[in-house]
Amino acid sequence: MIKVKVFLSLRKIFGQKEISSEAENIEELLRKLVKQYDGLEDALFKDSKQNELRPGIIILVNGRHIKWPPAISTPLKEGDEVAIFPYICGG
Amino acid sequence: MQKKEEVIRQIEESKELHFAPSAKEYFGISLKKVRAIAQDKRIPVKEIEIAALEKGIIPLRYQRNIGTIGLKGQIKLLRSTVAVVGAGGLGGGAIELLARQGIGHIVIIDSDCFTEENLNRQLMSTEKSLGKYKAIIAAKRVKKINSAVTVTPGIKKITPENAHNLIKKAQVVVDGLDDLPSRFVVEKAARDLGIPFIYGAIAGFSGQLMTIFSKDAGLSSIFGPPGDLSVQGVELEMGNPSATPAMVMAWQVQEVIKIITGVGKPLRNRLLWFDGEEGTTGVIELEKTGNPGRKKEVKEVKDK
C-alpha cells in the first residue's frame, strides 16, 4: 500500500488527511485518485487533459520533490509515502 | 582592565538574593542597577549584563530563561546577531520575542510601510504607525523592550545583489518574507555565508517551518529547484488570520535560540506542518540530498 498525505484544500477534498492506495507510479496514482475524489482534478491539474499540474502544487515521494513532468513516471513501491500540498507563502 | 574589575565590584555590590519559582536561591541584579552601572562606567548595558552572568549573577529580566538555556546560553544569546528579513506577521513577532529573549544584536530588513491590512496580525503595527516604515517602528519597539539590544534597521528590499551584505553579520537568519522567490534569494545568501536560515510560511489556519543549514537541501527539497516557481500560494485566497503568524514565528524563534545556545535538535530536513483547522501537527521527513555543489566547493578548499 502507498500512503498518501494531503494538506489544506486537498485535505478537504479527501475528507481526511491520509489515505492508502495502490499504484505502480505517480502518474497512475494521481489519475486513480482524480477518478475517486470529486474536485481533485481541478485542484491538481490545469485542465482535463491532466498533462500539467497547477502551479503551486507540491508532490513529495518519501520526502523527495517530484517535478511533473518530467518525473511523471516516478515508480512507487509498497510502503512509500506521497505528500501532496499547495504552496503556502504568507508571512 | 581596572575598569572591568571596577564594573565587577559594582555588580557584586548590587546583587540581591532572590528565590526562583522552584524556591531555589539565586543572586540577581535589577535593570535599574544594571543601567546605573552602565551609565556610571559608560559601558553598554549588554556588557554589564554579560559581566554579571559570567559571575553567576542573573539580570532579573532573563531569570525565566536560565532554567532552560543556562547562564552560558544567555551569554551566547547576548553576544549573538540575528537577522530578520521581513518585519510583517512572522518577522515582526519574531523581533519582539528575540528582543525579550536577549539577542544582543537584531538586524531588521524590510522596505515596506504599515497598512491597515497589517493590523489584524502584525504585532509591530498600530493605528499610529500606519504609513511608517516597518523596520524603523520595529527597531523603536526593540529599544523599548530591551535597551541592551543593539538594533540595525534596514529599509531595503532584499535582492540577490544586496542579500549577502545585509545578513553577513548574523549567526542565524529568520524568514519573515511573504513570497517564494525572495526566500530562495535569502536562502542562497545564507548558504553561501554558512548561516542557518529559519524558513517559515503561513496561509489561513495553517503554517509550516524548517531550519536550513548550508549543507541541507533546503527549500528545493520542498519546492524543487528555483526557476519557474509560483510567487505566492493559497494565502492569496485564504488570507492570514491573527493567530497563524504567531504560531509559526514562535517556532522560528525557538529554532534561533536552540541553534545559538546548542540546546535541543534543530528542525533540519524536517518540514513541520500544522493544520489549525483540524487541530493537528505533523513532520514531513525530507530527503537529505544535501547540496552537492556546496559540498564539492568545501572539499576543494580543504584540499588546497
Side-chain angles (χ1 to χ4, degrees):
Chain A
M1 296 296 268
I2 314 293
K3 199 186 279 181
V4 183
K5 292 180 173 179
V6 288
F7 301 87
L8 281 160
S9 45
L10 298 175
R11 176 177 60 74
K12 287 181 181 168
I13 290 170
F14 279 67
Q16 52 196 320
K17 62 178 179 179
E18 195 177 310
I19 59 144
S20 293
S21 191
E22 284 185 47
E24 295 289 315
N25 57 49
I26 278 286
E27 181 179 14
E28 188 189 326
L29 176 74
L30 292 199
R31 297 208 193 285
K32 195 171 166 180
L33 294 177
V34 159
K35 282 182 193 159
Q36 280 176 294
Y37 294 93
D38 284 346
L40 187 61
E41 181 182 73
D42 189 45
L44 290 183
F45 293 101
K46 271 191 171 172
D47 55 41
S48 57
K49 288 178 190 163
Q50 299 179 11
N51 288 330
E52 208 177 338
L53 279 182
R54 279 188 182 278
I57 290 288
I58 295 163
I59 302 174
L60 304 179
V61 177
N62 298 327
R64 187 163 56 89
H65 181 89
I66 296 297
K67 189 107 177 133
W68 177 301
I72 190 164
S73 57
T74 301
L76 295 172
K77 59 180 189 311
E78 177 71 23
D80 277 351
E81 247 185 51
V82 178
I84 312 171
F85 50 99
Y87 279 25
I88 68 170
C89 298
Chain B
M1 192 63 195
Q2 210 175 1
K3 196 173 178 181
K4 193 178 178 188
E5 280 168 14
E6 179 59 19
V7 166
I8 289 165
R9 189 188 62 75
Q10 285 195 18
I11 290 170
E12 290 283 358
E13 279 176 10
S14 306
K15 73 181 180 188
E16 287 171 327
L17 191 63
H18 288 264
F19 292 93
S22 64
K24 195 178 164 189
E25 289 180 352
Y26 71 93
F27 281 110
I29 184 166
S30 69
L31 177 59
K32 194 177 171 185
K33 289 189 172 158
V34 166
R35 276 188 176 160
I37 300 169
Q39 201 168 5
D40 183 45
K41 295 296 169 204
R42 297 182 181 209
I43 290 174
V45 168
K46 185 176 11 186
E47 297 306 322
I48 306 297
E49 289 181 346
I50 291 171
L53 286 159
E54 283 173 342
K55 287 285 161 191
I57 299 163
I58 304 171
L60 296 179
R61 66 175 309 139
Y62 303 127
Q63 197 278 327
R64 296 296 196 272
N65 291 349
I66 303 301
T68 305
I69 62 167
L71 295 163
K72 284 183 183 168
Q74 188 64 56
I75 293 168
K76 283 181 187 169
L77 293 178
L78 282 165
R79 286 193 170 137
S80 71
T81 297
V82 173
V84 181
V85 188
L90 294 176
I95 290 161
E96 168 107 11
L97 297 190
L98 292 168
R100 290 184 188 280
Q101 181 74 34
I103 298 295
H105 181 195
I106 303 174
V107 177
I108 303 168
I109 301 151
D110 197 308
S111 62
D112 289 343
C113 296
F114 284 117
T115 66
E116 284 190 44
E117 293 86 349
N118 300 149
L119 286 169
N120 79 318
R121 69 192 183 287
Q122 301 193 10
L123 298 185
M124 296 292 163
S125 66
T126 61
E127 292 178 8
K128 271 192 176 175
S129 68
L130 295 177
K132 294 181 178 162
Y133 285 110
K134 294 181 180 183
I136 301 298
I137 296 294
K140 285 181 180 168
R141 173 83 179 152
V142 167
K143 295 309 280 184
K144 275 186 193 169
I145 293 167
N146 190 344
S147 55
V149 178
T150 308
V151 53
T152 309
I155 304 170
K156 298 256 167 63
K157 184 163 177 57
I158 202 124
T159 65
E161 290 73 38
N162 68 16
H164 295 74
N165 201 35
L166 290 171
I167 65 169
K168 67 183 178 192
K169 286 184 181 163
Q171 270 93 74
V172 186
V173 178
V174 177
D175 171 12
L177 294 159
D178 61 3
D179 73 86
L180 201 50
S182 302
R183 286 183 168 103
F184 270 90
V185 166
V186 179
E187 185 201 41
K188 184 186 180 303
R191 190 190 296 284
D192 291 344
L193 295 163
I195 305 170
F197 174 60
I198 320 291
Y199 159 70
I202 52 170
F205 282 160
S206 290
Q208 61 189 27
L209 74 143
M210 176 169 70
T211 288
I212 302 165
F213 278 54
S214 50
K215 285 182 181 173
D216 301 342
L219 295 177
S220 60
S221 67
I222 308 168
F223 300 100
D228 53 344
L229 296 166
S230 290
V231 174
Q232 287 174 303
V234 288
E235 71 282 356
L236 292 180
E237 287 168 28
M238 302 175 89
N240 301 306
S242 306
T244 317
M247 294 164 89
V248 171
M249 69 80 176
W251 272 100
Q252 290 178 290
V253 170
Q254 198 110 291
E255 289 295 291
V256 172
I257 297 163
K258 282 159 60 183
I259 290 166
I260 294 171
T261 61
V263 172
K265 179 184 171 192
L267 265 169
R268 290 177 67 180
N269 303 306
R270 294 181 294 154
L271 182 69
L272 188 139
W273 251 95
F274 72 83
D275 181 335
E277 209 171 303
E278 227 203 2
T280 55
T281 58
V283 169
I284 299 176
E285 298 280 344
L286 298 166
E287 194 183 55
K288 295 173 195 170
T289 47
N291 185 312
R294 173 78 189 171
K295 273 182 189 163
K296 196 179 169 198
E297 180 188 313
V298 170
K299 192 170 180 295
E300 279 169 4
V301 171
K302 276 183 186 167
D303 287 347
K304 282 176 191 172

